[in-house]
Amino acid sequence: MRELGTPMTETAKSVVAPPVGAASSGGASPAGESGESGSPASRRRDVTWEDPLVGAALARDLSGLDYLLGIAEGRIPPPPIAALLGMSIVRVEPGQVTFGLDVGEHLYNPIGSVHGGVFCTLLDSAMGCAVHSSLDRGQAFTTLELKVNIVKPLTLNTPSVAATGQVISGGRRVVTASGQITGPDGTLYAHASTTCLVFEPRPTQEKPAQRKEPSGRSAENGHGR
């Protein structure tokens, strides 16, 4: 693995980067804080993001590893979902990616803990990016199956968690990966597995020339129209 600012070798590229989440004030008021009237204090979270199609276009011309390194190092804008939830790539190496997430009230469900969908999104991101980090230039993937086991609730008592995804088996068309969400003390909050489908780059095909009739009209459809 490689710390930011150290030389990168061709055989093992990795990065550790600070979180790049939303411009946010989510959870700025402590839980249970009240205003002068005694009513619960309101919260506010401001989210900003960049055009997601800019990063998507860059992905087509880079290997999966180089693309993810670009996001982690701030050279490529992160996807809007990362800004919305407050998660970011903090470590990248071939076949393994770690995301960080700052826990906030904006992630809570109605019963006062982080929503199960956040667990799923975080693990899907970590495992999917682990698969992406193993792909060559021009290759892409999509999630076919995702299974998540939540083993412990997550609240503000744990200020941050890490989700690590790693490739288990890499095939030409199908790749499987696993992932775990852990706290700063190593407590396991959830684990998961995924199956992803890999798309090969499409070869560039030249459009066949149209046959011309003596009159100069195209005869491609047999009617000269």
Side-chain angles (χ1 to χ4, degrees):
M1 293 181 287
R2 181 178 69 91
E3 299 293 332
L4 285 178
T6 59
M8 180 187 299
T9 65
E10 292 298 325
T11 56
K13 299 179 180 179
S14 63
V15 64
V16 177
V20 284
S24 163
S25 58
S29 300
E33 179 179 340
S34 301
E36 292 181 0
S37 63
S39 61
S42 63
R43 274 71 159 164
R44 175 173 175 171
R45 178 174 173 81
D46 298 325
V47 180
T48 60
W49 63 90
E50 298 183 46
D51 184 351
L53 298 184
V54 173
L58 293 173
R60 293 193 291 267
D61 295 323
L62 296 172
S63 70
L65 183 63
D66 287 338
Y67 178 65
L68 294 172
L69 284 168
I71 294 177
E73 294 171 342
R75 294 181 284 104
I76 298 175
I81 186 66
L84 181 64
L85 293 184
M87 64 182 186
S88 59
I89 299 175
V90 297
R91 189 180 298 272
V92 179
E93 57 185 286
Q96 182 169 306
V97 174
T98 298
F99 274 72
L101 175 71
D102 292 330
V103 180
E105 288 181 340
H106 62 289
L107 304 176
Y108 270 25
N109 58 24
I111 60 175
S113 62
V114 172
H115 194 285
V118 176
F119 286 84
C120 295
T121 301
L122 188 57
L123 284 164
D124 184 46
S125 299
M127 294 186 297
C129 285
V131 172
H132 196 178
S133 71
S134 68
L135 301 184
D136 294 330
R137 178 179 180 272
Q139 288 184 309
F141 79 98
T142 188
T143 299
L144 290 179
E145 181 265 347
L146 173 68
K147 185 179 187 299
V148 177
N149 295 274
I150 300 174
V151 298
K152 187 177 179 62
L154 186 58
T155 68
L156 292 176
N157 292 329
T158 303
S160 64
V161 292
T164 299
Q166 51 273 320
V167 171
I168 297 175
S169 175
R172 187 176 65 86
R173 292 299 305 278
V174 175
V175 181
T176 57
S178 64
Q180 310 82 33
I181 295 178
T182 56
D185 61 354
T187 298
L188 178 68
Y189 288 90
H191 58 93
S193 61
T194 190
T195 303
C196 296
L197 177 66
V198 176
F199 299 96
E200 294 295 332
R202 295 180 179 180
T204 303
Q205 295 181 349
E206 296 183 1
K207 186 177 181 180
Q210 295 182 351
R211 180 171 58 86
K212 300 291 183 178
E213 291 185 335
S215 62
R217 294 179 300 175
S218 171
E220 185 180 21
N221 61 5
H223 298 283
R225 295 182 298 198

